[in-house]
Amino acid sequence: MRASMEIRKCICMRDCYDRCYFYAYVEGNKLIKVEGSRKHPITRGFLCSKGYSLPKLVHHKDRLLRPLLKDNKSWKEISLKKSLEILADVLREAKPHRSFFLSYAGNMGLVESLSLKALFDMLGFYIVVPNLCSTSGNNVLIKIFGTYNGKDIEDIVNRKLIIVWGMNPSWTNVHGMFLINEAIKRGAKLYVIDPNVTATARKAHRHLRIKPGSDVFLALGMAKYIIEEELYDKQFVKDKFIGYEEFFRFLSRLPWSFIERVTGISFEGIAKTAYDYATLKPNWIHIGYGFQRRVGGGEAVKAIAYLPVLIGDPSAFYYDFSPEVDLEIALNVKNSPRISFSKFIELLDEGADLVFIMSMNPLYTAPDSKGLKRSLEKNAEYIVVYDCFMTETASIADLVIPSTMFIEVEDVALSYFHRYIGISEKALDPPKEVIDAFSLAKRLGEMLGVNYPWKSRRAFILDILRALNVNYDNIKSKWYVKITHVQEANTARYIPLKKTYQNIPLGNREKDEFYLLVLS
Ligand code: SF4
């Protein structure tokens, strides 16, 4: 290593399960290379290809380096100062009940994702919560268990059977796959439930290629078999599963012929999988977001969640992780209305004074992105995009403000997969006319005369850590600490499936086809 090279301890803030810890090698404000931390219990010395490509991304020739103002359908470069003046003027004019703030997970650093949202909350804007990935599943798990946290993911290596359901961790959660491989080396079996032959399915000891959208009924079929064969933990169910009698009655009405036809899996296939699940213990269900992004996704998570309850190990699953502190409430920035993405689309039809978009590219990722584009162009008076690149969404904006990348700021990292919280160091100075979210919020607050409560980025970090009960000096010196006080699922309540899934048709072929339609 050259003497002029410096090493910074950083954390990948992409929207990804793994939240990798890595060393950034920097020379003269240039990121030379990145290297995964060997010590970190999850990162284990390697990154994915996106992680390794970070030097290319940060110094990419197409990166936005100056604000852009739409001028007669073409772009004009303006100074950062000028762009903030324009935005402040627009904000002064915008009526809060006709103005929207949209952000998602482009940069999951807690300061970057919360500081601007805090300002727009103070301004009374609608805050759009566009979470397609896990919200409905989280909501049902909270109803069943009072939490959506299963066991610590690091425990997966001790399991005898791992069922990966609707997920392809070989591609999307490479460090999760590493842990699964470790479990396999110790003798665990891997079963995959997925309509597609994924890279993970190819490694599995068994692959159930169910029909798309039939996850609810495969889970119910497994539960039915476990109950009929009396393989469930009777004492646990009696003591800790409130309303189990109703669940059992419901399953007794569910015909095997229907389950087989809907899922495309034979009785023998379901029975074998259910038998192994009930007898190879301890085990684990790794629930993905795949089936959750469609009609009935939350119901599928619900049906799957009853399986670990039946075998007396209710937290033996992973779906999502959170220390369960609502940071927006803790920071007192959850006062303006929160609306779903579909409600935003509805309200947009009535016209909008301002739509501010950051950390997402909805014209590429949202359902019906063409319709969204038409509606934004027709109904939004002014669109501001805060991003590092000229995305599809930025291209229809009136003003684009260039954002920093996560490696250019100090920030706090939480994972929705593992339980480590860390501080990511600032490795590079951002380009001169590029601004981080905290500075943007603070400067706009000053220009608008809003009493933005945080005087410095560090003050914001300290407030976040206080809410999470973590000491800054401790975490800074160690890079990361593990969150140990986590409420995990331990008792369960039966929440009936939604009506459309309740009225199981008995021998009526036409009705069966209707349910297939509901599911697809
Ligand atoms: S696996 Fe995820 S967290 Fe790790 S480097 Fe890749 S994108 Fe970043």
Side-chain angles (χ1 to χ4, degrees):
M1 194 180 103
R2 289 189 290 270
S4 53
M5 193 107 79
E6 290 176 32
I7 301 176
R8 297 273 182 266
K9 290 176 181 165
C10 299
I11 306 168
C12 181
M13 301 291 191
R14 287 186 166 96
D15 181 9
C16 170
Y17 288 100
D18 301 34
R19 191 66 68 239
C20 289
Y21 285 64
F22 67 90
Y23 296 101
Y25 290 76
V26 177
E27 192 172 32
N29 207 40
K30 191 165 169 44
L31 181 62
I32 306 298
K33 67 167 184 173
V34 292
E35 190 180 273
S37 161
R38 286 195 170 76
K39 281 196 197 140
H40 190 272
I42 302 293
T43 305
R44 300 197 181 204
F46 71 96
L47 306 174
C48 74
S49 53
K50 278 188 287 181
Y52 286 123
S53 69
L54 187 60
K56 228 166 135 184
L57 189 77
V58 176
H59 303 297
H60 199 282
K61 65 177 177 38
D62 293 337
R63 185 162 171 200
L64 296 174
L65 299 177
R66 285 174 71 85
L68 295 168
L69 182 68
K70 185 87 52 76
D71 184 17
N72 203 14
K73 293 197 179 160
S74 60
W75 291 110
K76 187 171 97 184
E77 281 193 356
I78 56 172
S79 68
L80 183 60
K81 184 167 174 283
K82 179 78 185 157
S83 72
L84 298 193
E85 284 165 7
I86 293 171
L87 179 53
D89 282 345
V90 175
L91 285 167
R92 278 187 203 101
E93 294 297 315
K95 293 183 192 68
H97 66 279
R98 284 173 51 88
S99 300
F100 302 87
F101 174 81
L102 282 82
S103 76
Y104 192 45
N107 179 345
M108 295 194 80
L110 294 181
V111 178
E112 288 300 283
S113 55
L114 287 169
S115 51
L116 258 177
K117 190 189 274 184
L119 177 76
F120 283 92
D121 182 82
M122 292 173 78
L123 295 174
F125 272 42
Y126 280 113
I127 307 289
V128 183
V129 187
N131 194 347
L132 286 174
C133 292
S134 57
T135 305
S136 59
N138 282 340
N139 289 344
V140 297
L141 291 175
I142 287 170
K143 280 187 189 155
I144 294 170
F145 298 118
T147 173
Y148 54 75
N149 291 325
K151 277 202 171 47
D152 182 355
I153 188 67
E154 288 177 80
D155 194 35
I156 200 170
V157 296
N158 302 315
R159 303 278 148 165
K160 290 187 181 150
L161 170 67
I162 296 162
I163 297 182
V164 172
W165 201 316
M167 184 177 182
N168 181 16
S170 294
W171 281 16
T172 60
N173 173 215
V174 289
H175 296 86
M177 197 63 218
F178 186 90
L179 295 175
I180 291 170
N181 284 333
E182 201 162 302
I184 292 171
K185 271 189 223 146
R186 296 182 190 189
K189 295 263 181 266
L190 170 65
Y191 292 179
V192 169
I193 297 169
D194 202 308
N196 297 311
V197 185
T198 62
T200 309
R202 274 194 281 273
K203 291 179 189 145
H205 297 97
R206 181 177 302 158
H207 175 200
L208 269 67
R209 281 191 82 179
I210 57 169
K211 290 184 185 171
S214 66
D215 306 81
V216 173
F217 289 102
L218 180 61
L220 294 179
M222 286 174 66
K224 182 178 169 73
Y225 182 84
I226 289 168
I227 293 163
E228 285 177 356
E229 295 302 314
E230 300 200 16
L231 295 169
Y232 64 99
D233 185 328
K234 294 191 182 71
Q235 196 59 48
F236 183 88
V237 166
K238 187 165 159 281
D239 294 345
K240 303 278 177 80
F241 188 9
I242 299 162
Y244 74 92
E245 300 93 336
E246 192 185 343
F247 184 47
F248 283 26
R249 271 197 301 277
F250 165 62
L251 288 176
S252 69
R253 298 192 344 255
L254 187 60
W256 277 112
S257 57
F258 178 77
I259 298 171
E260 286 182 301
R261 197 162 63 248
V262 173
T263 60
I265 308 290
S266 67
F267 169 79
E268 291 72 26
I270 296 171
K272 176 91 183 69
T273 306
Y275 180 83
D276 290 352
Y277 178 70
T279 54
L280 281 174
K281 294 198 280 189
N283 55 37
W284 186 281
I285 304 182
H286 213 51
I287 311 174
Y289 300 150
F291 53 79
Q292 219 261 183
R293 291 182 172 135
R294 58 184 302 139
V295 174
E299 295 303 288
V301 175
K302 188 192 280 178
I304 293 167
Y306 295 131
L307 293 171
V309 179
L310 288 178
I311 62 161
D313 194 2
S315 58
F317 69 89
Y318 163 75
Y319 176 66
D320 199 353
F321 168 70
S322 153
E324 295 188 33
V325 174
D326 187 328
L327 285 172
E328 292 178 21
I329 290 179
L331 298 173
N332 190 21
V333 293
K334 202 170 187 176
N335 302 305
S336 70
R338 265 55 182 170
I339 55 170
S340 66
F341 198 75
S342 47
K343 186 72 186 169
F344 162 65
I345 304 283
E346 204 183 302
L347 292 176
L348 187 58
D349 270 346
E350 293 163 23
D353 290 350
L354 173 60
V355 179
F356 186 100
I357 304 170
M358 66 176 278
S359 270
M360 67 187 299
N361 181 12
L363 289 203
Y364 191 71
T365 56
D368 188 21
S369 50
K370 281 188 186 145
L372 176 64
K373 181 171 187 267
R374 272 195 304 276
S375 183
L376 279 168
E377 286 175 333
K378 182 172 158 223
N379 300 315
E381 286 287 325
Y382 209 83
I383 302 170
V384 179
V385 169
Y386 172 61
D387 208 311
C388 316
F389 288 97
M390 181 52 73
T391 62
E392 286 78 357
T393 310
S395 72
I396 65 155
D398 298 285
L399 176 66
V400 180
I401 299 179
S403 71
T404 45
M405 289 190 182
F406 62 82
I407 198 158
E408 294 164 338
V409 288
E410 182 185 45
D411 214 330
V412 183
L414 261 183
S415 165
Y416 52 86
F417 175 62
H418 57 70
R419 296 189 177 182
Y420 296 92
I421 176 170
I423 293 278
S424 185
E425 290 180 352
K426 174 179 172 173
L428 300 170
D429 287 328
K432 202 165 149 276
E433 297 286 284
V434 167
I435 189 165
D436 62 272
F438 175 80
S439 303
L440 180 55
K442 186 166 170 289
R443 283 175 68 176
L444 284 172
E446 285 160 5
M447 292 165 92
L448 296 168
V450 171
N451 188 19
Y452 192 68
W454 298 277
K455 301 291 168 240
S456 68
R457 186 176 191 89
R458 183 63 56 78
F460 203 105
I461 289 175
L462 291 178
D463 269 2
I464 289 173
L465 294 180
R466 205 168 292 124
L468 294 167
N469 208 11
V470 176
N471 176 278
Y472 177 81
D473 293 330
N474 186 31
I475 196 174
K476 178 78 181 157
S477 63
K478 292 181 176 155
W479 195 0
Y480 50 85
V481 293
K482 190 163 186 176
I483 296 169
T484 47
H485 302 294
V486 177
Q487 187 201 343
E488 295 174 355
N490 54 24
T491 57
R493 174 182 296 278
Y494 175 59
I495 309 292
L497 287 149
K498 281 190 179 155
K499 280 271 182 303
T500 40
Y501 297 89
Q502 273 281 327
N503 301 321
I504 300 305
L506 293 166
N508 182 329
R509 181 91 199 180
E510 284 71 34
K511 273 195 187 169
D512 285 3
E513 298 310 325
F514 167 70
Y515 288 110
L516 276 173
L517 277 177
V518 169
L519 290 167
S520 59

